[in-house]
Amino acid sequence: MRVLYLDLFSGISGDMTMGALLDAGATESALREGLSSLGIDDEFELVVQKKNKAGIAGTDVDVLIKELSPDLLHEKQHALGLEHHHGHEHDHGEEHHHHDHEHPHDHHHGAGHHHHHGNGLRRNIVHIVDLIQRSGLSEAVKADSIAVFRRLAQAEAAVHGTSPEEVHFHEVGAVDAIVDI
């Protein structure tokens, strides 16, 4: 068994971790195949490219969140049993916000990461565990991923003074986290 040790003295993002693992020998096709087995391809796009920043070459991985159509969003909310509203009382001119942010410690993987903030799926730990269990990932990957999400839910619950089961992950954070983890 080979062991990979990461000296994360200043932290690391999920995108940076994926880029580092690809540079260390993981294959992009295996990553894409595993992610595709989750059945959420309509919610994100994975962009993988070689970049050079300050003379250091590396693999940049970006998780782009797709904007769901109102019909698809509604269909997914029903499928997940999520709370949602029927109809709209106010038209806000279809205003969308775009945020570009660069990780301050992204010295290995090139340019900033551009995430389009999506439109409202709020999965909780139960939904995410079910999503992972139904995937085609190996049993070991399923177990490790679920353990990470349970730990994340516990941390979120502690911060917000609620229970892990009541923590709802906003769409962007959840999809990003699902892909990264």
Side-chain angles (χ1 to χ4, degrees):
M1 181 172 100
R2 287 189 288 176
V3 175
L4 175 65
Y5 179 76
L6 300 175
D7 185 10
L8 307 178
F9 60 90
S10 63
I12 191 168
S13 70
D15 292 348
M16 291 169 65
T17 302
M18 284 192 290
L21 291 172
L22 288 171
D23 279 344
T27 63
E28 182 180 341
S29 60
L31 173 63
R32 290 187 181 278
E33 185 180 331
L35 291 174
S36 186
S37 81
L38 290 165
I40 55 170
D41 286 349
D42 54 357
E43 295 184 41
F44 75 95
E45 178 184 352
L46 193 71
V47 178
V48 178
Q49 53 192 332
K50 293 288 186 185
K51 291 208 174 168
N52 191 302
K53 185 173 181 182
I56 297 177
T59 299
D60 184 84
V61 179
D62 206 356
V63 181
L64 304 180
I65 307 302
K66 294 181 181 178
E67 188 80 10
L68 299 177
S69 70
D71 287 345
L72 183 57
L73 176 62
H74 192 242
E75 183 182 316
K76 282 180 170 273
Q77 287 169 329
H78 271 289
L80 292 171
L82 298 177
E83 290 180 16
H84 59 283
H85 301 289
H86 289 266
H88 301 280
E89 294 84 10
H90 305 288
D91 181 5
H92 294 288
E94 295 301 313
E95 185 177 310
H96 301 294
H97 302 282
H98 297 270
H99 298 278
D100 291 346
H101 53 276
E102 185 165 338
H103 299 287
H105 50 281
D106 194 0
H107 56 271
H108 181 67
H109 299 292
H113 300 265
H114 310 288
H115 298 278
H116 178 83
H117 286 228
N119 51 354
L121 269 181
R122 289 167 56 86
R123 290 180 171 93
N124 65 21
I125 187 69
V126 174
H127 301 126
I128 292 173
V129 167
D130 183 58
L131 180 76
I132 294 168
Q133 290 285 25
R134 288 186 288 106
S135 77
L137 297 167
S138 73
E139 291 305 313
V141 171
K142 287 180 182 179
D144 286 345
S145 300
I146 289 168
V148 170
F149 268 107
R150 290 198 191 285
R151 179 73 60 89
L152 186 57
Q154 288 169 355
E156 288 280 342
V159 168
H160 298 295
T162 185
S163 72
E165 294 73 28
E166 291 175 300
V167 170
H168 282 78
F169 299 94
H170 184 271
E171 184 191 17
V172 173
V175 175
D176 274 358
I178 289 166
V179 172
D180 293 348
I181 291 168

